[in-house]
Amino acid sequence: AQSVTQPDIHITVSEGASLELRCNYSYGATPYLFWYVQSPGQGLQLLLKYFSGDTLVQGIKGFEAEFKRSQSSFNLRKPSVHWSDAAEYFCAVGQASSYKLIFGSGTRLLVRP
Amino acid sequence: EAQVTQNPRYLITVTGKKLTVTCSQNMNHEYMSWYRQDPGLGLRQIYYSMNVEVTDKGDVPEGYKVSRKEKRNFPLILESPSPNQTSLYFCASSLDDPGNTGELFFGEGSRLTVL
């Protein structure tokens, strides 16, 4: 069965510092991979997605993620965090004709001034 | 403005009192779905619909019902709510199967408390 693991429940970084959020997936074939962000009191918004091709994908708000098949990982990165990036981040995996996305448990990002 | 609208946003109710959470989207999307979000568990799919009058169970359908009589609306019905249904509920829509498109458009969520 497909599954997504986000090993970090909370991460705190200083404003201006770099960020990496971890995501590991379990899936038999090449999955479709996504990162979503949930700001306080809001629904989830798609940051970026990977279907195939270049393993480094760019998203909105300056985020990027790298697909590493050998490590079954799809980590999210940002070179310099802004206070407005404080939110909860969800990694998700999908499969054609599955009619759903499977979400990880989320990582809450706190940003220190 | 393209959006998914849920109502109510907040609700406190008592065990056994039937309730409905409405969901409407204005993007002419074929696919709609309900998820619940619980701490440490992420989002889990309750039901989904690929078209009018076509609905199917997700991973946690027990205790819930849905209907899709119109393309834009997908209400979630709790016939006899129980405390374990206390959760944050999200409605989401997509042009097509999100397993293909990857992009789900989410409502702002409905926080339900069952006493």
Side-chain angles (χ1 to χ4, degrees):
Chain A
Q2 300 174 60
S3 66
V4 179
T5 302
Q6 295 181 246
D8 303 306
I9 298 174
H10 296 101
I11 283 187
T12 301
V13 300
S14 298
E15 191 167 16
S18 63
L19 170 70
E20 182 168 25
L21 302 182
R22 297 184 290 165
C23 172
N24 294 96
Y25 66 90
S26 173
Y27 187 63
T30 299
Y32 300 153
L33 295 160
F34 316 94
W35 275 98
Y36 280 79
V37 60
Q38 183 181 27
S39 299
Q42 302 294 315
L44 282 74
Q45 179 186 19
L46 180 67
L47 277 177
L48 48 81
K49 58 186 175 183
Y50 172 78
F51 284 147
S52 65
D54 193 344
T55 57
L56 184 64
V57 294
Q58 303 296 321
I60 62 171
K61 305 185 181 187
F63 286 92
E64 66 178 26
E66 186 171 13
F67 170 59
K68 293 185 178 180
R69 184 191 303 276
S70 61
Q71 299 176 19
S72 296
S73 70
F74 189 57
N75 294 350
L76 182 70
R77 301 195 295 246
K78 187 170 185 178
S80 177
V81 168
H82 188 262
W83 64 266
S84 60
D85 293 324
E88 188 153 22
Y89 292 81
F90 292 91
C91 183
V93 62
Q95 174 191 1
S97 304
S98 68
Y99 303 107
K100 67 181 176 185
L101 299 184
I102 295 175
F103 290 85
S105 55
T107 298
R108 184 168 297 278
L109 173 66
L110 304 173
V111 181
R112 277 194 296 258
Chain B
E1 180 189 355
Q3 58 186 3
V4 178
T5 304
Q6 299 178 224
N7 280 295
R9 294 286 313 279
Y10 302 91
L11 179 62
I12 300 174
T13 189
V14 296
T15 299
K17 186 176 181 182
K18 180 179 178 179
L19 69 90
T20 299
V21 185
T22 64
C23 174
S24 180
Q25 50 93 5
N26 63 0
M27 295 171 278
N28 201 36
H29 283 170
E30 299 286 336
Y31 174 97
M32 298 185 74
S33 181
W34 279 100
Y35 284 82
R36 61 178 287 173
Q37 182 181 12
D38 301 291
L41 297 178
L43 282 82
R44 295 176 291 167
Q45 189 187 55
I46 302 171
Y47 269 95
Y48 69 91
S49 169
M50 273 305 301
N51 211 330
V52 174
E53 304 292 0
V54 179
T55 63
D56 208 345
K57 296 177 180 178
D59 296 317
V60 288
E62 295 78 18
Y64 304 95
K65 286 174 58 177
V66 293
S67 68
R68 188 95 180 270
K69 293 184 170 57
E70 303 166 284
K71 194 173 187 178
R72 64 183 291 127
N73 295 324
F74 190 47
L76 178 70
I77 304 157
L78 285 72
E79 293 271 4
S80 183
S82 62
N84 65 11
Q85 292 179 297
T86 293
S87 187
L88 179 58
Y89 291 87
F90 285 101
C91 181
S93 72
S94 180
L95 197 60
D96 196 353
D97 172 9
N100 289 332
T101 66
E103 182 147 22
L104 281 170
F105 292 83
F106 283 85
E108 293 185 318
S110 296
R111 185 168 293 282
L112 171 64
T113 301
V114 183
L115 302 176

